[in-house]
Amino acid sequence: QLQLQESGPGLVRSSQTLSLSCTVSGASVRGDSYWSWIRQPPGKGLDWIGYIYHTGSAYHNPSLKGRVTLSVDTSKNQFSLTLNAVTAADTAVYYCARRYSSNGNYFDSWGPGTLVTVSS
Amino acid sequence: SVLTQPPSVSGAPGQRVTISCAGGSSNIGADYDVHWYQQIPNTAPKLLIYGNNNRPSGVPDRFSASKSGTSASLAITGLQPEDEADYYCQSYDKTLSGDEIFGGGTKLTVL
């Protein structure tokens, strides 16, 4: 059974860099899926951040204006998110998820999420 | 949000409710599939419907969905207390608004 688990600091200082990892178990990141990051500000809806394929091919939400870097480590079966120059607006629960492709592209498995708070 | 959902809907146990998801010509109207998620408070979203009207294994057949033109809808029949949650639609948008897009979410209250 596929499981994903986010890890990383829960508190980041404003203007610094947010770094999170997602460990995948029950499937290989080398599989034919994109590995994704989605966030949810407190009390608000879901925002797609981006996703990456095991080859390193990545796509991200243009609204993040180049602050995002995605990477994948096939040896650890992990993928990671780096978000630069964070502000309070980046405070959110961050989810990693698998983007599955069949009858469209959707997120079929999610991690439990991790709350990241940006402090001033 | 590029996809518009009503902020809230409600219904009594046993009733039928629907949640709409209105898009445009660059997403739902461009024939991109619509998917639906259920989010119980303080938990991760769960895939409820994929490919417009397909239920993953384990999702009760009380949940169904449809798509027409530039919009989609989720229907829940035989409403149960455990259905109280937030529901999100998701699709793809071919403009610079972002590849994957979510609706703003709808809070379902079971009265």
Side-chain angles (χ1 to χ4, degrees), chain A residues 38 40 44-48 51 59-63 95 99 102-113, chain B residues 33 35 37 39 42-47 50-52 54 86 88 90 92 96-104:
Chain A
I38 296 156
Q40 185 172 34
K44 297 188 178 181
L46 301 167
D47 289 323
W48 171 71
Y51 41 61
Y59 302 85
H60 60 83
N61 193 322
S63 70
Y95 296 100
R99 176 183 179 257
S102 175
N103 288 24
N105 302 310
Y106 48 88
F107 305 101
D108 69 331
S109 295
W110 297 63
Chain B
D33 291 310
H35 320 288
Y37 301 85
Q39 186 177 33
N42 300 312
T43 67
K46 166 192 167 185
L47 180 66
Y50 67 93
N52 304 317
N54 300 286
D86 294 321
Y88 294 89
Q90 177 238 323
Y92 180 90
L96 290 177
S97 59
D99 288 0
E100 305 291 350
I101 52 174
F102 289 94

Side-chain angles (χ1 to χ4, degrees), chain A residues 18-95:
Chain A
L18 179 160
S19 295
L20 295 173
S21 292
C22 180
T23 300
V24 178
S25 59
S28 172
V29 296
R30 291 191 185 91
D32 192 23
S33 294
Y34 278 83
W35 301 95
S36 315
W37 291 97
I38 296 156
R39 69 181 182 179
Q40 185 172 34
K44 297 188 178 181
L46 301 167
D47 289 323
W48 171 71
I49 297 172
Y51 41 61
I52 188 167
Y53 199 62
H54 65 84
T55 57
S57 177
Y59 302 85
H60 60 83
N61 193 322
S63 70
L64 293 168
K65 299 177 183 176
R67 297 192 293 131
V68 172
T69 301
L70 303 176
S71 61
V72 60
D73 186 336
T74 56
S75 67
K76 295 182 179 179
N77 219 36
Q78 288 181 343
F79 60 104
S80 299
L81 164 71
T82 299
L83 182 65
N84 299 324
V86 297
T87 69
D90 295 310
T91 293
V93 175
Y94 285 75
Y95 296 100

Side-chain angles (χ1 to χ4, degrees), chain B residues 50-107:
Chain B
Y50 67 93
N52 304 317
N53 56 11
N54 300 286
R55 283 177 286 106
S57 175
V59 173
D61 59 6
R62 302 186 295 104
F63 295 90
S64 62
S66 62
K67 171 190 154 185
S68 178
T70 59
S71 65
S73 66
L74 173 71
I76 309 172
T77 59
L79 207 56
Q80 298 184 1
E82 57 265 33
D83 298 333
E84 186 160 295
D86 294 321
Y87 293 84
Y88 294 89
C89 58
Q90 177 238 323
S91 187
Y92 180 90
D93 192 284
K94 61 182 180 180
T95 68
L96 290 177
S97 59
D99 288 0
E100 305 291 350
I101 52 174
F102 289 94
T106 299
K107 169 67 177 177

Side-chain angles (χ1 to χ4, degrees), chain A residues 2 6 11-12 15 17 26 46 49-50 60 63-64 73 85 95-96 98 101 104 113 118 120:
Chain A
L2 175 62
E6 305 88 353
L11 187 64
V12 181
S15 80
T17 297
L46 301 167
I49 297 172
H60 60 83
S63 70
L64 293 168
D73 186 336
Y95 296 100
C96 60
R98 181 175 73 171
S101 295
V118 177
S120 55

